[in-house]
Amino acid sequence: DDRSIAKALVLTPFSLSAGATQVALGNNELNKEITSRFHTAIQRSPADFLVKAISNEPLFAPEQFQHSSAQHQLRYMAESAQAQFIIAGRLRNLAFGRQAAGLLKKERWVRQFALEVSVLDGASGRLIQTKQYQTRVLWPFAITTEVNPASDQLWRADFGVEVQRLVYEAVDDIAAALSCVRVKAQVIRVVGGNVTISVGSRQGIKPGDTFSLLHSDSFTDSWGNSYAVTAENDSQLEVVRVYPDHAETRPVKANYL
């Protein structure tokens, strides 16, 4: 209660939904630039995040999150990176609209922007939250103009400022969603009665911290649906030695362990 423990994350690139892919030339590069700015905002956030890995490939669509095969893949990603949470997103809309010309004004283009960001629990593969962010802003260029997605001209224009605002809003929402979630670590080694876990000083762990030991299991019901179960028992582990990315613990009551 007297200090913050950082949440370990895996970041994945944003994907482009079918409706946003072929709207205009350059959308793939714009998507990459928005992904980069989002990841930078996460890493610079005042919230306690520790980015353990950044994936090269986008995650599958949110409609697949509840599939058992997807949950296995999410757990594998988290275990491989020794992280607790996975952040994913996709751009759903980058469409253009025409603002009609008037008597004293010429025709202008309006561009829509819709971003969907998901937070997943890597330990269980379950979805924690999905939120939508959208806006509609005047596009500062001719529709035939090839625009460098990283240019200052784009990001200082109303469109870039508004997209950046939504990126920061999404990062704040992630921080709020994870602020009260308990930190979990993986058991990565057992030697005798000592247990090594996958959190360390980079997350704020200190000697004397205690962890509860959890057992995970799963079962399948009569309809073929899979469910993950995590049970907490009476075993308590006390941190005795801390390294940057792992810590050694010993059981508070050896007979329980």
Side-chain angles (χ1 to χ4, degrees):
D1 293 331
D2 61 343
R3 69 181 195 275
S4 296
I5 305 298
K7 306 302 194 303
L9 310 178
V10 176
L11 304 181
T12 64
F14 292 155
S15 61
L16 276 171
S17 68
T21 305
Q22 299 297 331
V23 171
L25 294 175
N27 278 356
N28 286 319
E29 295 304 313
L30 179 59
N31 181 40
K32 291 177 183 178
E33 180 65 21
I34 295 172
T35 295
S36 174
R37 287 173 179 265
F38 178 80
H39 290 175
T40 298
I42 286 274
Q43 292 169 316
R44 293 178 178 175
S45 169
D48 290 294
F49 295 138
L50 176 62
V51 177
K52 286 289 194 78
I54 300 178
S55 171
N56 292 323
E57 297 295 330
L59 208 57
F60 34 78
E63 292 80 14
Q64 301 177 34
F65 286 162
Q66 300 305 317
H67 297 174
S68 59
S69 59
Q71 292 176 6
H72 285 302
Q73 183 176 339
L74 292 168
R75 290 197 295 269
Y76 175 78
M77 287 177 62
E79 289 173 4
S80 299
Q82 295 184 1
Q84 187 175 351
F85 304 102
I86 299 169
I87 310 298
R90 64 176 172 176
L91 295 187
R92 297 181 61 93
N93 193 351
L94 289 169
F96 286 96
R98 182 183 287 108
Q99 188 181 67
L103 183 62
L104 299 176
K105 61 180 182 179
K106 60 182 181 180
E107 180 182 77
R108 301 182 68 181
W109 291 94
V110 174
R111 192 161 202 186
Q112 299 183 58
F113 175 81
L115 171 65
E116 179 180 70
V117 178
S118 300
V119 183
L120 300 115
D121 182 346
S124 64
R126 299 293 182 178
L127 176 67
I128 295 174
Q129 142 179 312
T130 293
K131 296 195 75 172
Q132 307 272 348
Y133 306 88
Q134 55 189 3
T135 190
R136 186 172 180 269
V137 187
L138 284 172
W139 183 244
F141 311 100
I143 196 168
T144 55
T145 302
E146 291 189 18
V147 181
N148 179 359
S151 68
D152 288 342
Q153 187 180 9
L154 172 61
W155 291 97
R156 288 176 180 171
D158 289 346
F159 177 84
V161 170
E162 186 68 1
V163 169
Q164 193 75 55
R165 181 187 68 81
L166 293 181
V167 164
Y168 288 140
E169 183 179 333
V171 172
D172 288 343
D173 288 343
I174 293 170
L178 300 184
S179 61
C180 293
V181 178
R182 290 197 301 175
V183 170
K184 293 179 182 176
Q186 301 166 36
V187 172
I188 55 177
R189 183 175 65 176
V190 179
V191 179
N194 294 329
V195 176
T196 302
I197 58 177
S198 63
V199 291
S201 59
R202 290 210 297 157
Q203 284 184 249
I205 302 301
K206 295 182 178 180
D209 288 345
T210 57
F211 285 80
S212 300
L213 191 63
L214 305 175
H215 294 286
S216 61
D217 197 2
S218 62
F219 67 91
T220 302
D221 64 18
S222 56
W223 292 275
N225 301 311
S226 297
Y227 299 89
V229 179
T230 303
E232 184 173 338
N233 63 22
D234 293 328
S235 298
Q236 297 287 312
L237 301 174
E238 180 182 1
V239 176
V240 294
R241 189 173 291 107
V242 180
Y243 302 91
D245 288 301
H246 66 282
E248 295 179 6
T249 71
R250 63 186 174 199
V252 175
K253 297 181 179 180
N255 56 315
Y256 282 153
L257 185 62

